[in-house]
Amino acid sequence: MDSPLLRRLFSRALRASLASPLVLAGCGGADLTGYSALACDDGFPTVSGLSPTVPPDFVQLRSISTDWGGSFFDEARRGSSGTACGTASDKAACESALSNLSSPTGFRSFCEQTCSAYYIATTRGDEVTAHTTLEALKGFLGSIDTAQEAALLAFASKYDLSCRDLARGAVRANDKGGFNVIGTTGYACGPNTALTQHVLEVSASGEVKEVSSHILERGRSNCVVGRRPVGLRASDGVACVDALGRHFASAAHLEAASIKAFLRLREELALHGADVALQDAALVSALEEVMHTDVSTRLARRFGATPQRPEVAELPLRSLFEVALENAVEGCVRETFGALVGHHQALHARDAEVREAMTRIAEDETRHAELSWAIDRWARQQLTAAECATLREAQREAVATLREEVALLPDAALVTEAGIPAPEVAASLLATLEQELWA
């Protein structure tokens, strides 16, 4: 398929999708009657509204990042309340101690490419303290008698809390003298993944107990733009309170994997005698995926997440039929649809930085999709009729799987801020491609 035709098809699909309504309603889960949205600072539970046993002058949530060996390299302030060193007898010394305060460890620790954790920094008089463990946090808070204290404990206990969506982050008082908190674990991006909602009971003494759980969203393989390499090992997930952070961290993970996919594809094209132009296009695609990885990583870190390094098993180069079969599914179906989704994001993302990033990425991914179709044409000329029939059937199955995946409701923030198409819009986009490409 030549470039102008694919782009005209994308344009037609995007115009047709405008007639589809955006549906942001939840899809089951806990009864949210009586729950209230969480109070947040920059996407994290705010430290305002706390009532510790011994009130401090100042309290601040901090995040730390280290490598696997524990070497410190980054710390960020996530929100604060009060006046730093407000009652200190030596304010300059107190402020210096607070500025120099750091910790190599903290609660809610999680390791991916790097390790991350959080701690609470406080000042009271001349005393500057880092509360770095869950037990230390409980000791600082004392009796849990405010909704914000309950939310902070749930966050510290490694539950993700949305600041935008009640189904993924909410709190209310219960009749036991404590609070119920809605939180989530996991993420929905890729095979065998799921975003799970939990109803938590936080007692006055600070114990956090799961009352019930419900899968809100199962993983969608089309949630990112990029070609998955054969041998890619499953990710352990992303620890982040923000759905946007989890999404872009997962995107960066798979974009990085796509670098390996295109480099391997170039080797296999050379092995089977493909035209040098196809080999060069695969190399250029790999280089473009490096940029996509960097951009997605920057967005992930902006929303509080750290991408996981992809692990890809070293496997022998494959036969032409095996290469063509993967290309028919990963390239001609998934990568092509992913490129179209990228154009939708570039048009509809409310976040200006996301729009700008997706404008460039969508253009690159369109060229990658064009490469997939060029490889498909070249390979089919050398395959048997039976092998070509197998490719067509594999594509039909891939489209059917996509149809099921796009019916799953994304997090509301992904639809509004990142421009991910809602199910009805995604179904419209898919239908246009199905009629023209995969019929």
Side-chain angles (χ1 to χ4, degrees):
M1 173 164 293
D2 61 22
S3 170
L5 185 56
L6 185 57
R7 291 171 188 274
R8 285 199 297 271
L9 178 57
F10 280 4
S11 178
R12 188 158 68 249
L14 290 166
R15 288 197 303 271
S17 74
L18 294 177
S20 301
L22 295 178
V23 178
L24 304 181
C27 53
D31 180 0
L32 300 177
T33 302
Y35 281 92
S36 299
L38 301 174
C40 293
D41 284 327
D42 195 26
F44 292 83
T46 182
V47 291
S48 300
L50 307 181
S51 60
T53 304
V54 181
D57 299 322
F58 177 77
V59 57
Q60 184 174 62
L61 176 65
R62 296 182 174 186
S63 65
I64 53 177
S65 297
T66 63
D67 63 21
W68 282 86
S71 298
F72 171 85
F73 66 85
D74 188 36
E75 181 172 293
R77 276 64 167 167
R78 298 299 184 181
S80 61
S81 178
T83 302
C85 304
T87 62
S89 60
D90 187 340
K91 189 170 183 179
C94 175
E95 289 177 341
S96 176
L98 179 63
S99 177
N100 294 324
L101 183 69
S102 66
S103 173
T105 60
F107 49 77
R108 194 186 164 86
S109 60
F110 187 84
C111 289
E112 295 168 324
Q113 284 182 311
T114 59
C115 297
S116 63
Y118 298 80
Y119 71 93
I120 293 290
T122 61
T123 71
R124 181 174 179 271
D126 294 311
E127 184 179 351
V128 178
T129 307
H131 308 272
T132 62
T133 67
L134 184 59
E135 289 306 313
L137 176 62
K138 290 180 182 179
F140 164 67
L141 293 175
S143 178
I144 305 304
D145 45 21
T146 72
Q148 203 55 36
E149 290 180 334
L152 185 60
L153 272 187
F155 170 79
S157 300
K158 298 188 177 182
Y159 292 94
D160 297 326
L161 304 176
S162 171
C163 300
R164 302 179 178 91
D165 186 349
L166 287 183
R168 294 163 170 81
V171 62
R172 68 171 175 81
N174 61 33
D175 56 7
K176 298 180 180 180
F179 296 85
N180 283 5
V181 177
I182 302 291
T184 63
T185 57
Y187 69 108
C189 185
N192 303 316
T193 63
L195 179 71
T196 303
Q197 178 196 70
H198 302 275
V199 178
L200 309 171
E201 187 176 281
V202 182
S203 69
S205 61
E207 298 304 312
V208 179
K209 181 177 67 174
E210 288 188 12
V211 177
S212 63
S213 62
H214 176 83
I215 293 179
L216 289 180
E217 185 180 348
R218 296 191 183 276
R220 296 169 291 120
S221 297
N222 63 306
C223 62
V224 295
V225 177
R227 175 185 286 248
R228 300 170 301 184
V230 62
L232 177 64
R233 296 189 175 96
S235 165
D236 292 332
V238 179
C240 179
V241 296
D242 196 306
L244 291 164
R246 294 194 299 273
H247 171 80
F248 285 110
S250 298
H253 170 76
L254 292 184
E255 296 285 19
S258 295
I259 301 170
K260 298 179 182 290
F262 279 114
L263 291 176
R264 178 185 177 87
L265 178 62
R266 184 196 185 205
E267 287 187 76
E268 292 176 325
L269 290 172
L271 174 66
H272 297 296
D275 189 88
V276 173
L278 292 180
Q279 299 177 43
D280 290 346
L283 177 59
V284 170
S285 297
L287 296 176
E288 289 172 339
E289 295 293 5
V290 174
M291 184 277 291
H292 300 177
T293 302
D294 291 343
V295 170
S296 299
T297 298
R298 184 176 69 247
L299 287 168
R301 291 188 182 280
R302 174 189 158 195
F303 293 111
T306 302
Q308 184 175 3
R309 188 189 306 275
E311 295 184 13
V312 182
E314 294 293 336
L315 299 173
L317 298 182
R318 298 163 296 175
S319 69
L320 176 60
F321 171 69
E322 290 172 313
V323 173
L325 183 61
E326 180 192 58
N327 182 73
V329 172
E330 288 294 320
C332 296
V333 176
R334 291 193 171 277
E335 197 163 35
T336 300
F337 183 68
L340 177 54
V341 169
H343 284 288
H344 185 277
Q345 291 182 258
L347 290 171
H348 296 284
R350 187 163 64 187
D351 187 285
E353 187 178 359
V354 173
R355 283 199 313 275
E356 180 180 356
M358 293 313 303
T359 297
R360 169 66 187 276
I361 289 175
E363 283 298 315
D364 292 345
E365 294 296 344
T366 300
R367 287 193 298 274
H368 301 177
E370 292 163 359
L371 172 61
S372 298
W373 286 97
I375 292 172
D376 185 71
R377 289 194 302 271
W378 165 78
R380 285 176 186 267
Q381 293 173 358
Q382 303 175 68
L383 298 177
T384 67
E387 289 172 329
C388 289
T390 301
L391 298 191
R392 287 192 295 273
E393 181 59 30
Q395 283 186 336
R396 282 194 289 268
E397 292 177 1
V399 173
T401 301
L402 266 183
R403 196 178 301 112
E404 294 177 358
E405 291 169 352
V406 302
L408 300 172
L409 185 69
D411 186 286
L414 296 182
V415 176
T416 56
E417 301 300 318
I420 296 294
E424 290 73 13
V425 177
S428 173
L429 296 174
L430 186 63
T432 301
L433 294 191
E434 188 171 7
Q435 292 167 8
E436 300 289 341
L437 290 178
W438 307 313

